[in-house]
Amino acid sequence: MEFESNYSSIKNTSESAAWSSKLPQGLDLEVSHHPITMRHIANLIIAVDRLKGVEGVTMGTEFKDKDLFNFLLESAVEEHIVLELESAPPASRRAAGFSSTSQYECSVTDSENKCWVLMNEAMELHAMMLQGGSGYHKVHLNLSTYVTPVPIETEARPVALGIKGSNLYLSCSKSGGRPTLHLEEVADKEQLKSISQQSEMVRFLFYRRNTGVDISTLESARFRNWFISTDMQQDITKPVDMCQKAATNRLTTFTIQRHN
C-alpha cells in the first residue's frame, strides 16, 4: 500500500522502517519529509485502523473534507468534556464548607463612635459613648477569618467574632420570629475551625464586607440581608442587635480596628 501526496517521498528512511515493521508482509509505507497537514494525519489514522482490522471504519481510502471535519469536531468535544470533569472540585471539597485560616485581636465602634461594651449580667453587647478614662470598658474581640473551596461571596469574607479572654462568641439565630444577635458560650473552640455550610454552626459566621478603609458591614451568614447593628440614639444604651439593611433607625457600618 502506498500513500500519495503532491510532494516527493523518500523511501527506506528510519521513519518508514519503523512503521513498515508494524504492517503486514508485502505492504510498504512512504513518509513525506515535507510538513504534514491534519488531513494527512487523519488519513494515516484511518488507514492504520483498517490495516489492524478495526471495526466501524467502512469509508474508502479517500478521506473527504466533511469526514475530516466530523472527526476533528468529535475529538474537540470529547477533550472539552474531559477537561471539565478534571477541573471540577471533588465532592469532599465542595462539602467542606468554611475553614478558619487566621485570627487577630480587634475592637469595634459604630459610625457614631459608640463602642461595644459587654454587659455581663445580661450577657449582651451594648453600644455606648466612652468618655475619658472609661475606655477600658471597650470589648476586645478575636476575629477569625474563613475561606471556602468555592467562594460564595466575591466581595465579602466570612468571619467569626469571639470575646477575648472568654468562650463567648457572637451568633445569629431566630428569637420571637426574627433573627437576633446572641452571645453563646462555645466550650470546644475546635468546632469553629471547620464549619459545614449546612451545619447549625453557621450561626456563628458573618460576612464582613468592606465599604471603606477599615469600615465594614457584618451580615449574618445564616440569615442573609440581616446585619449587626446599633441604635442611632447616643444618649440611650441599647443592645447590639440584628436589623435589615433598609432599617432607618439603626447603624450598620462599623470601624474594625486591628490591635496586632
Side-chain angles (χ1 to χ4, degrees):
M1 178 176 290
E2 189 172 291
F3 294 89
E4 297 180 356
S5 69
N6 294 329
Y7 307 105
S8 60
S9 300
I10 301 177
K11 293 185 178 182
N12 299 323
T13 63
S14 59
E15 293 90 348
S16 298
W19 279 95
S20 297
S21 63
K22 301 178 181 180
L23 300 178
Q25 185 176 2
L27 298 178
D28 195 6
L29 175 67
E30 293 184 4
V31 178
S32 172
H33 283 251
H34 291 277
I36 299 175
T37 66
M38 288 297 296
R39 178 172 181 144
H40 294 151
I41 295 174
N43 277 327
L44 179 60
I45 293 172
I46 294 298
V48 171
D49 283 346
R50 292 188 64 197
L51 291 173
K52 292 180 178 180
V54 174
E55 297 179 359
V57 182
T58 58
M59 62 184 67
T61 56
E62 178 62 24
F63 200 41
K64 299 178 182 179
D65 290 339
K66 180 179 69 175
D67 300 324
L68 176 59
F69 175 79
N70 291 336
F71 173 80
L72 295 177
L73 183 60
E74 290 173 2
S75 299
V77 172
E78 182 178 3
E79 181 179 1
H80 177 67
I81 293 173
V82 170
L83 289 175
E84 284 191 341
L85 290 175
E86 289 179 350
S87 62
S92 59
R93 288 183 58 197
R94 291 196 298 270
F98 304 89
S99 299
S100 177
T101 57
S102 63
Q103 178 179 284
Y104 59 86
E105 181 184 341
C106 67
S107 59
V108 178
T109 55
D110 65 19
S111 54
E112 295 294 332
N113 207 34
K114 297 195 299 295
C115 302
W116 287 5
V117 175
L118 176 61
M119 311 299 287
N120 287 299
E121 293 183 0
M123 286 290 288
E124 293 177 338
L125 287 175
H126 284 223
M128 61 179 64
M129 298 290 295
L130 297 178
Q131 303 286 338
S134 60
Y136 68 93
H137 290 295
K138 179 191 299 185
V139 163
H140 283 225
L141 303 168
N142 289 324
L143 186 150
S144 302
T145 60
Y146 290 76
V147 295
T148 57
V150 180
I152 301 172
E153 293 280 342
T154 57
E155 299 179 356
R157 185 77 180 268
V159 299
L161 299 166
I163 306 297
K164 183 184 177 184
S166 75
N167 292 329
L168 298 176
Y169 282 81
L170 279 69
S171 69
C172 182
S173 56
K174 273 193 174 182
S175 177
R178 62 180 292 274
T180 55
L181 189 68
H182 302 268
L183 284 178
E184 287 191 52
E185 185 172 0
V186 180
D188 183 9
K189 296 182 181 181
E190 292 294 318
Q191 299 178 73
L192 296 175
K193 288 189 175 181
S194 181
I195 300 176
S196 168
Q197 294 180 15
Q198 291 75 37
S199 167
E200 288 292 320
M201 299 296 287
V202 173
R203 68 184 183 275
F204 291 101
L205 298 179
F206 300 86
Y207 284 113
R208 177 184 179 181
R209 183 178 286 102
N210 294 329
T211 59
V213 179
D214 294 329
I215 300 176
S216 309
T217 58
L218 295 164
E219 180 185 10
S220 170
R222 186 176 186 185
F223 300 101
R224 306 308 302 270
N225 201 37
W226 284 85
F227 295 80
I228 295 179
S229 65
T230 58
D231 194 275
M232 293 187 67
Q233 296 182 342
Q234 295 191 12
D235 55 345
I236 299 178
T237 300
K238 289 188 176 181
V240 180
D241 203 355
M242 306 298 297
C243 79
Q244 291 187 295
K245 186 71 170 179
T248 58
N249 61 338
R250 307 287 296 180
L251 303 173
T252 58
T253 57
F254 300 94
T255 298
I256 299 178
Q257 183 180 0
R258 184 167 180 165
H259 295 293
N260 60 3

